[in-house]
Amino acid sequence: GSEPLFFDRLGHWYRLKEKGFSTVPERPEPSRSDCHAWGSHPYYHFFTAVLGIRPSAPGFARVSIRPMPGPWRHTEGRLPHPAGEVRVKLDCENGVWSAEVSLPEGIGGEFTFLGRTTTLKADGKAIRLTGMRS
């Protein structure tokens, strides 16, 4: 799949500072622009692929969360949502995953990870899932 490719390509992004960049270039050298909005694509992919947060109904009325953390054994983020924030935290220790997920009050959805789907209620309360094996 595309998951390993995404993490491999982050190498370029991580090396920008050592190459003297203080902003993200339009593309790898030779670059004609040292500050280009397209260079922020890792942020988009972090939320939509690594954390797996996507709308599943018009107007973001429901949320589907399908994380693909790749080689990362700890990752977390908070995505602004019209009704508040979507929060996802993943941790893995010795091949056993735990997750904490919360949606804004009034917004429901699903969390799917390692072949297990859990319904997220619209009550605004965080859920914690543990014991998921990779």
Side-chain angles (χ1 to χ4, degrees), residues 102-126:
S102 67
L103 300 179
E105 189 170 346
I107 304 297
E110 297 80 36
F111 175 78
T112 302
F113 188 58
L114 299 175
R116 176 179 167 187
T117 298
T118 302
T119 298
L120 303 171
K121 296 179 182 177
D123 60 9
K125 295 180 182 175

Side-chain angles (χ1 to χ4, degrees), residues 11-113:
H12 163 73
W13 203 69
Y14 284 127
R15 291 187 295 275
L16 292 175
K17 188 173 182 179
E18 71 188 45
K19 292 182 177 187
F21 287 97
S22 60
T23 61
V24 182
E26 182 174 0
R27 62 179 186 185
E29 294 294 345
S31 177
R32 65 173 203 226
S33 170
D34 283 1
C35 183
H36 200 275
W38 284 109
S40 66
H41 72 87
Y43 292 115
Y44 169 80
H45 291 294
F46 173 74
F47 287 103
T48 62
V50 176
L51 293 180
I53 303 168
R54 293 180 184 247
S56 60
F60 222 160
R62 289 189 60 78
V63 178
S64 172
I65 302 173
R66 296 175 172 265
M68 295 186 299
W72 295 349
R73 295 298 166 238
H74 170 80
T75 188
E76 64 183 291
R78 302 179 328 186
L79 180 71
H81 181 282
E85 285 184 331
V86 175
R87 296 180 185 188
V88 177
K89 179 179 180 182
L90 298 168
D91 285 295
C92 182
E93 189 171 321
N94 299 319
V96 180
W97 287 90
S98 62
E100 287 183 39
V101 181
S102 67
L103 300 179
E105 189 170 346
I107 304 297
E110 297 80 36
F111 175 78
T112 302
F113 188 58

